[in-house]
Amino acid sequence: MRVQAVRMTPEVQQRLLKSRIEAQTLTERDILCPVCGYRIQRVYSDATGHLSVKCQKCKSINILNLAYFRRIRGKVSR
Ligand SMILES: [Zn+2]
């Protein structure tokens, strides 16, 4: 019997792999807390819609429309 640290179905693994490959062609951008400027989340350039985020630093919870909070990074840091 094989011991797996993380239980993932092959289907989920496949989706994760596909997502990672697709993301290589996209630009990353940081979503910053509108209150304190702390980095809350990192999304990719094709991300749209609304995001409910909680800041780890100032604990404020905000709903962000990604269209209004665009902060494109010049480079992809990886
Ligand atoms: Zn904050």
Side-chain angles (χ1 to χ4, degrees):
M1 197 183 276
R2 213 155 59 99
V3 178
Q4 271 185 299
V6 183
R7 288 174 188 278
M8 276 195 289
T9 64
E11 196 190 347
V12 171
Q13 287 179 340
Q14 194 61 35
R15 282 188 216 159
L16 282 175
L17 184 65
K18 265 190 78 178
S19 302
R20 194 180 302 175
I21 291 167
E22 288 160 8
Q24 286 174 357
T25 61
L26 301 171
T27 310
E28 286 177 327
R29 75 175 201 259
D30 291 337
I31 301 298
L32 304 180
C33 174
V35 180
C36 71
Y38 186 78
R39 190 174 59 110
I40 297 171
Q41 185 74 268
R42 177 166 288 175
V43 298
Y44 286 89
S45 50
D46 66 342
T48 54
H50 293 72
L51 201 63
S52 175
V53 290
K54 182 182 180 185
C55 179
Q56 296 297 316
K57 199 176 178 188
C58 71
K59 309 296 179 194
S60 66
I61 298 169
N62 290 288
I63 298 165
L64 305 180
N65 182 340
L66 291 174
Y68 305 154
F69 292 88
R70 292 195 179 278
R71 183 170 288 238
I72 310 286
R73 297 189 123 221
K75 57 180 169 59
V76 177
S77 54
R78 189 180 285 129

